[in-house]
Amino acid sequence: MLVEIYANRKFRLLIEALFFNYFVILSVNLLLMYYLHGFKSEESLIEEKAISFISSDNLTASYLFPALCVSFLYSVLHKNKYNYYSMILYAVVLLTAIKIWSATSLVGIVLILAYIFIFYGTPIEKTIKYAYLIIFAVFLIIGLTFFNIQNYFYFLIVDILEKDITMTGRTNIWQIGINGFNESPIIGMGYGAMIIDNGLIQLLFSGGVLGLCIYVMMFLTGTKKIFSPEHNHNSLNRFFSFVLFTTLIMSISESWFYFFGFFVILNLANNLDKLSHYLLWLQRRKNEKKIRLY
């Protein structure tokens, strides 16, 4: 609620405040992790859930991804893609992901950082159909969750990549979620009843069909500005479209729609027009000063 209030009033101040908070929280957490556990990510530490001090290894991602988005907006706010402080926070986020060794989070973070440093602001970025990416992600989630399409890629996943076709036993947990949904299909089993490790099944398990419909309405409301024709030329909107695509893919093996960080990302995405207006205002002031000098 506080994020929404500040987004509507002073979006620039919100970005700077969030950046400072994420910078301090994640930096202190990273220093503690490396001070107490050294520079190696060991499976025994991950199993004990003691490697990260702000949450479990998976839920730490709820801090990492909004921090990436806020750091990016902070650099845009200061009109410097390689802003010194933003670069430090990028490094903190990446090192934290490496330390907790959550494969899903690490892949998502690398994808977003690659987008920022390789594609953002380039001609290639404008050729990507972001709406198609979102649609592809939705169909992929449904296919993997309910139709087990990963079985068609058994040779690639098991024989070549040497990974588990059940996604490290996650599909067994998905079945528990589906069984819970079948017991209470309308209102679900309740928020916080169990972590299912799949975003779509988590919504059905926790809130039933009613909860899923409410969530979809909220998601569409929070993203309508990103995909509206009047904003689809904006680089900021394209960046957040890619972030949403990445989090959707991550939701296949994590309950990402459940995390608070996802709501922070949606709120930032829904208020990008305020940052765009502020940047235009700064540019006009700069141009006016140049005219006065001449």
Side-chain angles (χ1 to χ4, degrees):
M1 184 177 69
L2 289 174
V3 172
E4 182 65 33
I5 291 173
Y6 273 94
N8 287 324
R9 292 179 177 271
K10 294 184 177 181
F11 193 61
R12 179 187 62 81
L13 181 61
L14 172 65
I15 294 172
E16 292 179 342
L18 286 175
F19 179 83
F20 175 78
N21 279 277
Y22 280 122
F23 192 97
V24 172
I25 292 171
L26 292 179
S27 297
V28 171
N29 181 68
L30 180 67
L31 290 173
L32 285 172
M33 286 195 300
Y34 280 94
Y35 175 75
L36 295 177
H37 301 305
F39 290 89
K40 292 183 179 180
S41 180
E42 300 178 9
E43 293 183 3
S44 60
L45 292 175
I46 296 176
E47 292 174 358
E48 294 173 4
K49 301 294 181 182
I51 196 166
S52 177
F53 295 90
I54 53 178
S55 189
S56 64
D57 54 335
N58 288 331
L59 286 176
T60 298
S62 187
Y63 293 82
L64 300 182
F65 284 86
L68 274 182
C69 294
V70 169
S71 185
F72 168 76
L73 292 177
Y74 185 84
S75 64
V76 171
L77 184 64
H78 292 81
K79 296 189 173 183
N80 185 357
K81 182 177 179 179
Y82 301 102
N83 179 274
Y84 177 75
Y85 296 107
S86 293
M87 294 289 286
I88 294 176
L89 187 52
Y90 290 148
V92 168
V93 168
L94 182 60
L95 289 173
T96 301
I98 292 173
K99 184 63 179 174
I100 61 177
W101 203 253
S102 173
T104 305
S105 300
L106 187 57
V107 169
I109 288 168
V110 170
L111 286 175
I112 293 174
L113 288 175
Y115 184 93
I116 292 173
F117 293 111
I118 298 175
F119 296 108
Y120 180 74
T122 65
I124 297 176
E125 178 199 29
K126 298 178 182 179
T127 64
I128 302 174
K129 303 298 183 182
Y130 295 91
Y132 294 159
L133 283 179
I134 301 296
I135 294 172
F136 168 75
V138 170
F139 278 101
L140 184 62
I141 292 171
I142 295 173
L144 288 171
T145 302
F146 297 113
F147 299 100
N148 298 317
I149 62 174
Q150 68 269 24
N151 293 331
Y152 295 105
F153 304 97
Y154 185 93
F155 176 77
L156 174 64
I157 297 173
V158 177
D159 296 338
I160 296 180
L161 298 179
E162 298 182 352
K163 299 294 183 181
D164 186 356
I165 199 70
T166 66
M167 297 185 182
T168 323
R170 280 183 169 87
T171 55
N172 299 325
I173 302 176
W174 297 357
Q175 190 57 50
I176 296 175
I178 293 173
N179 294 337
F181 167 70
N182 291 333
E183 291 182 18
S184 180
I186 305 300
I187 61 173
M189 304 299 290
Y191 181 86
M194 183 179 178
I195 300 297
I196 303 299
D197 287 336
N198 179 286
L200 181 55
I201 298 179
Q202 184 74 65
L203 292 176
L204 291 170
F205 175 77
S206 300
V209 174
L210 180 61
L212 178 64
C213 291
I214 294 173
Y215 197 96
V216 169
M217 291 174 60
M218 180 203 69
F219 180 82
L220 293 176
T221 301
T223 57
K224 64 181 180 180
K225 289 183 180 179
I226 296 180
F227 301 112
S228 63
E230 59 182 309
H231 293 107
N232 60 13
H233 65 281
N234 191 312
S235 291
L236 293 177
N237 290 70
R238 287 194 287 264
F239 169 75
F240 271 86
S241 297
F242 185 80
V243 171
L244 288 176
F245 163 75
T246 303
T247 53
L248 284 172
I249 294 298
M250 290 170 55
S251 71
I252 295 171
S253 58
E254 301 292 349
S255 300
W256 239 102
F257 303 142
Y258 219 45
F259 296 170
F260 175 75
F262 186 68
F263 296 98
V264 175
I265 293 172
L266 279 183
N267 189 278
L268 292 172
N270 196 38
N271 289 279
L272 289 175
D273 55 328
K274 297 178 178 62
L275 179 59
S276 297
H277 293 156
Y278 176 75
L279 293 174
L280 287 173
W281 177 76
L282 286 179
Q283 186 62 45
R284 282 197 298 267
R285 287 193 62 186
K286 184 177 180 180
N287 293 336
E288 289 173 359
K289 290 181 179 179
K290 287 182 179 180
I291 293 173
R292 289 172 186 172
L293 288 174
Y294 289 108

